[in-house]
Amino acid sequence: MAPATEERALSAGKLAWVGLALAAAALLSSWNPFAAPFGLILGVASGGLGLWLLRRRRGSRPAAAGALTLGALAALVSALVLWLGAGAVTAELTGEPVVKARTAAEAGALLDAARAASDPVRQRARKELEAAAAGAGGAPAESAKEDVPLEPAPPPPEGEDEDEPE
């Protein structure tokens, strides 16, 4: 009785047909940009298998030659599809942009208009807050501040490092 591993091993003739089936699958998946990476991998694998079978003179020669030919074709087509797909992503698009960016002056004018439109409501809210704090019997801890644009924090002095403890 033969060992179990020999029963499961593919013969060289079947291996050539498997290579041909892989090459066909690679060729079918080579046209789609999402499947082209798999087509490239399968094409190279089936082409390599077909070449190996032809050099060793094992299995069906027509099936091995077909695996080599179709695998190489699938790998080339997949590489071309990937190259063209990558070019489409990085290429400069023509036509008018869908979203137009605002300049700093336009954004500032828009924010100033929004601040002016909401000013009466903010003033009324300040007065109500101060009245509520005064009516509660205690002086407000801090008075309401004017709305002014925030300024960036000053940079730390050059001689001091914040990360190093003293």
Side-chain angles (χ1 to χ4, degrees):
M1 181 173 245
T5 56
E6 288 181 15
E7 290 175 8
R8 284 190 263 159
L10 288 175
S11 67
K14 289 181 182 177
L15 197 57
W17 290 105
V18 167
L20 187 61
L22 280 176
L27 197 59
L28 285 175
S29 65
S30 64
W31 64 273
N32 185 346
F34 295 111
F38 299 112
L40 182 64
I41 292 169
L42 285 178
V44 169
S46 62
L49 181 61
L51 182 65
W52 181 76
L53 288 171
L54 284 174
R55 284 188 165 209
R56 300 282 179 160
R57 300 187 190 281
R58 299 176 85 184
S60 171
R61 291 187 60 79
L68 174 62
T69 306
L70 288 180
L73 179 66
L76 287 174
V77 170
S78 295
L80 179 67
V81 166
L82 286 172
W83 181 61
L84 291 175
V89 172
T90 60
E92 187 66 33
L93 299 177
T94 60
E96 251 183 77
V98 177
V99 178
K100 294 181 182 178
R102 291 189 176 110
T103 64
E106 291 172 339
L110 200 64
L111 288 173
D112 288 341
R115 184 181 298 130
S118 66
D119 191 43
V121 175
R122 286 185 287 117
Q123 293 296 333
R124 189 184 65 195
R126 263 194 208 99
K127 288 178 186 174
E128 289 177 5
L129 183 62
E130 289 172 356
E142 191 175 316
S143 64
K145 298 179 182 175
E146 279 298 313
D147 280 342
V148 293
L150 294 177
E151 295 178 11
E158 291 292 324
E160 298 178 14
D161 263 345
E162 294 179 6
D163 296 338
E164 295 180 16
E166 293 183 24

